[in-house]
């Protein structure tokens, strides 16, 4: 099993373990130490992972950090642990006090769910207030897995991580900033775009008009990109005869699967990919509607498309599998039903 699969398999078990984790010590044993093992470190070897690592501070002796990952008997990463239900407030963290007293270049603050990596980008030998890399184990992204793997014992290179930490920090901060502007754009952000297309003065009234437009444009761009990538992936897998990704299209000559139905199918997959393997989402066309099913099972309908040249309509299912039809103006409107589609899929796992 490769590193990505190990992390994802571990992440799937985390939620089920939480009710049994009552203390900080249990958090360490059940969540944090298994995570360090996946990173390739022998948690039972004190020459590699040393618990209660002593970091003396001035006249204060015997100050301890929860763990330190060592190399050649020198600390590389200091680790402070919290109970999984506790927030991670770096200002109250002991790491700030310990960081400059050791040779460690990195520190990790974690509660077993959230992981925040710090270094000294702003002032040498002083831990930054903001992490250069952070993620949530139960919602870890592919690009975060790439960065996390750099901390694996087999590939760990202090100079390589240190040289990329600055770019990663600013990349993450820019991502957060831009995402925030896309979801709730500030006036200056809207004003910048409005000036590009509006000839008159950008007044308060103009800003009120353009703010929802800017949000809609960014949403459309993101949705189009997701749908296009899924469409490209589907085409490639179809060419490779990957049957679990090929829409199930009936051989009945009276059934014509339209481009709109395929695009709608891809949009549904893009919505559900957050919760399930998209290979489980299948399309089965019929004369009267196009059905989207979980596991290609008629008893697990996700939704139905009733698309005609003059009208687009989507059928959604409640927990009792009762169908309700909704008119939509365009395919992108399917995204408006994301919560309902995710809930339908979750209903089948109850």
């Amino acid at each position: 099993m490769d590193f990505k699969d190990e992390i994802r398999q571990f992440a799937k078990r985390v939620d089920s373990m939480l009710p049994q984790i009552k203390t900080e010590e249990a958090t360490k044993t059940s969540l944090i130490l298994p995570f360090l093992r996946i990173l390739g470190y022998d948690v039972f070897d004190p020459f590699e992972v040393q618990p209660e690592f002593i970091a003396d501070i001035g006249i204060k002796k015997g100050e301890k950090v929860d763990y330190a990952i060592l190399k050649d008997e020198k600390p590389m990463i200091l680790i402070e642990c919290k109970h999984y239900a506790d927030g991670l407030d770096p200002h109250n963290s002991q790491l700030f006090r310990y960081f400059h007293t050791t040779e460690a270049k990195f520190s990790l603050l974690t509660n077993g769910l959230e992981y925040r990596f710090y270094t000294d980008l702003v002032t040498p030998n002083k831990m930054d207030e903001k992490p250069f890399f952070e993620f949530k184990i139960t919602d870890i992204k592919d690009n975060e897995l790439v960065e996390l793997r750099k901390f694996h014992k087999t590939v760990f290179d202090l100079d390589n991580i240190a040289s990329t930490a600055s770019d990663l920090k600013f990349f993450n901060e820019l991502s957060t900033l831009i995402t925030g502007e896309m979801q709730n754009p500030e006036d200056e952000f809207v004003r910048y775009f409005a000036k590009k297309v509006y000839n008159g003065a950008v007044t308060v009234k103009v800003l009120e008009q353009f703010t929802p437009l800017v949000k809609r444009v960014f949403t459309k761009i993101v949705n189009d990109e997701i749908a296009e990538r899924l469409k490209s992936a589907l085409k490639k897998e179809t060419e490779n005869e990957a049957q679990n990704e090929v829409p199930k299209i009936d051989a009945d000559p009276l059934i014509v699967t339209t481009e709109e139905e395929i695009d709608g199918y891809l949009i549904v997959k893009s919505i559900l990919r957050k919760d399930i393997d998209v290979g489980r989402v299948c399309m089965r066309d019929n004369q009267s509607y196009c059905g989207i099913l979980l596991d290609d099972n008629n008893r697990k309908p996700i939704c139905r498309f009733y698309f005609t040249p003059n009208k687009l309509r989507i059928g959604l299912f409640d927990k009792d599998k009762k169908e309700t039809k909704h008119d939509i103006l365009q395919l992108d409107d399917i995204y408006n039903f994301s919560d309902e589609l995710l809930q339908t899929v979750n209903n089948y796992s109850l």
Side-chain angles (χ1 to χ4, degrees):
M1 185 181 299
D2 65 16
F3 174 70
K4 288 185 178 181
D5 290 337
E6 281 191 89
I7 287 290
R8 294 202 182 282
Q9 187 177 78
F10 173 65
K12 289 180 179 179
R13 300 200 310 269
V14 168
D15 283 334
S16 64
M17 290 190 289
L18 297 185
Q20 299 301 317
I21 300 176
K22 309 298 185 182
T23 64
E24 182 179 302
E25 200 60 36
T27 299
K28 296 177 186 177
T29 303
S30 302
L31 299 180
I32 297 169
L33 290 180
F35 171 79
L36 295 180
R37 291 186 66 183
I38 296 174
L39 285 179
Y41 299 103
D42 186 349
V43 298
F44 301 112
D45 182 354
F47 292 101
E48 191 162 295
V49 179
Q50 187 173 119
E52 298 190 328
F53 178 77
I54 296 176
D56 292 334
I57 305 174
I59 62 173
K60 294 183 69 175
K61 303 298 181 180
E63 294 292 306
K64 297 176 181 179
V65 183
D66 289 318
Y67 297 102
I69 294 178
L70 309 178
K71 184 177 183 181
D72 300 327
E73 299 185 6
K74 296 180 180 180
M76 297 187 299
I77 306 174
L78 302 180
I79 304 173
E80 181 180 346
C81 308
K82 304 289 186 183
H83 183 260
Y84 81 86
D86 292 342
L88 299 182
D89 184 352
H91 296 285
N92 296 330
S93 170
Q94 294 174 311
L95 291 175
F96 271 101
R97 302 199 301 273
Y98 300 155
F99 188 83
H100 74 281
T101 69
T102 74
E103 298 178 65
K105 185 66 176 177
F106 303 103
S107 57
L108 169 62
L109 180 60
T110 180
N111 58 11
L113 297 180
E114 295 181 61
Y115 291 79
R116 298 180 182 178
F117 288 84
Y118 297 82
T119 187
D120 57 351
L121 295 172
V122 178
T123 303
N125 300 319
K126 180 181 178 182
M127 192 178 101
D128 297 335
E129 291 192 10
K130 294 183 178 181
F132 70 89
F133 174 47
E134 61 182 314
F135 63 89
K136 188 173 182 180
I137 191 68
T138 53
D139 188 30
I140 190 166
K141 311 294 192 301
D142 286 344
N143 64 304
E144 293 170 339
L145 282 167
V146 172
E147 297 300 330
L148 177 60
R149 193 178 187 282
K150 294 178 182 178
F151 287 91
H152 195 282
K153 177 184 175 180
T154 58
V155 296
F156 185 90
D157 185 319
L158 188 149
D159 293 333
N160 178 49
I161 299 177
S163 65
T164 60
S166 179
D167 284 349
L168 182 60
K169 175 186 176 182
F170 292 125
F171 177 86
N172 290 334
E173 290 184 4
L174 285 170
S175 296
T176 300
L177 176 64
I178 292 172
T179 300
E181 292 288 0
M182 289 170 59
Q183 295 174 347
N184 189 25
E186 296 180 358
D187 288 351
E188 287 305 309
F189 187 78
V190 177
R191 191 186 305 277
Y192 172 80
F193 291 103
K195 284 182 176 180
K196 298 290 184 180
V197 297
Y198 186 76
N199 293 328
V202 182
T203 62
V204 172
K205 186 175 181 180
V206 173
L207 284 176
E208 290 176 352
Q209 176 188 359
F210 272 84
T211 297
L213 291 175
V214 170
K215 290 176 64 175
R216 283 172 54 193
V217 167
F218 274 110
T219 300
K220 184 179 186 303
I221 290 172
V222 172
N223 290 344
D224 286 349
E225 180 68 19
I226 292 172
E228 188 60 35
R229 289 190 180 188
L230 281 171
K231 193 172 182 179
S232 175
L234 181 61
K235 180 179 179 182
K236 182 177 179 180
E237 291 173 1
T238 301
E239 292 172 350
N240 293 333
E241 297 182 349
Q243 295 299 321
N244 64 325
E245 290 291 325
V246 178
K248 301 292 188 284
I249 300 175
D250 214 312
D252 190 329
L254 296 178
I255 297 175
V256 178
T257 301
T258 66
E259 191 72 22
E260 284 183 324
E261 289 172 336
I262 293 176
D263 287 345
Y265 165 62
L266 294 175
I267 289 174
V268 172
K269 292 180 72 174
S270 73
I271 292 170
L272 300 179
R273 68 184 297 127
K274 295 186 298 183
D275 282 20
I276 63 171
D277 178 357
V278 293
R280 299 178 63 192
V281 183
C282 303
M283 180 169 77
R284 190 182 297 183
D285 210 352
N286 297 280
Q287 289 187 33
S288 56
Y289 63 84
C290 177
I292 309 300
L293 310 173
L294 183 66
D295 301 327
D296 198 24
N297 188 336
N298 274 328
R299 294 192 297 273
K300 297 180 179 180
I302 298 172
C303 65
R304 289 174 179 173
F305 299 145
Y306 300 88
F307 294 169
T308 68
N310 299 319
K311 178 179 286 190
L312 301 177
R313 178 176 287 185
I314 182 173
L316 303 175
F317 295 87
D318 62 19
K319 63 180 180 180
D320 299 318
K321 298 183 184 179
K322 180 181 177 181
E323 184 182 11
T324 303
K325 297 176 183 178
H326 303 268
D327 291 335
I328 57 177
L329 298 178
Q330 56 187 355
L331 290 179
D332 277 354
D333 290 344
I334 295 173
Y335 286 102
N336 297 333
F337 301 101
S338 296
D339 291 343
E340 290 88 342
L341 291 168
L342 289 166
Q343 184 59 53
T344 297
V345 169
N346 290 332
N347 287 339
Y348 295 132
S349 62
L350 297 178

